[in-house]
Amino acid sequence: MPGSYTWSRLSEADVVELRDIVSDRSTVLRRPPPELLAMDDIVRIEALAFREGTGSHAELFGALDTDPLRVLAGMNWLIAFWAVLWDLRASEPAGDLVRTLDYDGPWRKGAGPEQEQVWRSMSQRVRTGVFAALTGSPESHHVYAAEVRRLAPDVFLHVTLTIMDGLSRNLTRQGLELAGMAAELEQHTEPGRPASGPSFTPPR
């Protein structure tokens, strides 16, 4: 399990303070609203994100058939969590990192001008979903959800997976421990009330 952090329970069951031992900065984390996301889903996505082999991607595409928005929202939440962990370590605002997220996968290679615009637009849609998770904004989530329903969810999944893979490798290379952090959050908190507030607060 990640060893560069300490967890301190707070008065609300679904809230915890996380301190980064390396930077000596802390942030307050809350489980996502239960009506939107289940911690079990996020922990499962996290485990798949760090499992070797192609079977993990196949499992995510299979889950997409049942509830595409829940799968994609869980991935967005996890990316937002990683951005906050980077902010906690490096004092670089999570929102700045989210703004750099961009799809650079195989479908974009050799794209002409019209195709390039498609991938820029898809990257922006993914960033909208991650910002919705980062800020806890219902309005942003509704905008993102409408786009998922309007377009092909499997394209959203491919683009988001590619962005997740690139981000996790980049942050891991810079010494950040990501694997198991969502599972740790689940372990140190209890389910909260519906609409209990955003999951993330700016580190200090």
Side-chain angles (χ1 to χ4, degrees):
M1 286 298 175
S4 297
Y5 302 94
T6 60
W7 303 78
S8 302
R9 291 180 180 268
L10 300 177
S11 57
E12 296 179 77
D14 63 333
V15 179
V16 68
E17 181 185 70
L18 177 67
R19 180 171 295 277
D20 185 320
I21 298 171
V22 176
S23 66
D24 198 32
R25 301 174 75 230
S26 65
T27 189
V28 174
L29 304 173
R30 184 188 296 271
R31 284 191 180 207
E35 70 275 15
L36 175 63
L37 280 173
M39 277 304 303
D40 287 350
D41 290 338
I42 295 170
V43 170
R44 178 173 170 237
I45 291 169
E46 177 183 64
L48 291 172
F50 291 101
R51 199 173 76 187
E52 297 294 330
T54 58
S56 58
H57 288 188
E59 283 190 43
L60 283 171
F61 274 99
L64 203 69
D65 293 336
T66 304
D67 193 341
L69 188 57
R70 189 172 74 172
V71 173
L72 292 166
M75 295 169 73
N76 292 337
W77 191 96
L78 195 57
I79 294 171
F81 187 22
W82 295 349
V84 170
L85 292 175
W86 177 244
D87 186 350
L88 190 59
R89 175 66 56 85
S91 300
E92 295 181 8
D96 289 356
L97 177 59
V98 174
R99 290 182 187 93
T100 70
L101 299 178
D102 190 45
Y103 170 73
D104 63 353
W107 292 357
R108 193 171 186 174
K109 298 293 189 292
E114 290 185 8
Q115 293 173 313
E116 178 63 24
Q117 179 57 42
V118 169
W119 298 121
R120 282 200 297 266
S121 297
M122 283 303 302
S123 297
Q124 178 57 49
R125 291 181 177 103
V126 172
R127 290 194 292 270
T128 297
V130 176
F131 270 117
L134 181 66
T135 62
S137 165
E139 294 79 11
S140 295
H141 178 73
H142 293 325
V143 169
Y144 173 78
E147 288 293 281
V148 171
R149 295 187 183 101
R150 187 175 68 86
L151 301 169
D154 58 333
V155 176
F156 271 90
L157 183 62
H158 171 77
V159 172
T160 308
L161 267 174
T162 303
I163 288 173
M164 278 185 70
D165 287 346
L167 180 62
S168 66
R169 287 195 300 270
N170 182 41
L171 295 181
T172 299
R173 280 195 301 267
Q174 298 186 67
L176 205 62
E177 297 168 274
L178 300 176
M181 288 299 289
E184 286 278 291
L185 176 61
E186 181 181 46
Q187 179 181 333
H188 286 89
T189 55
E190 301 293 337
R193 301 184 308 276
S196 50
S199 295
F200 309 110
T201 59
R204 62 184 188 279

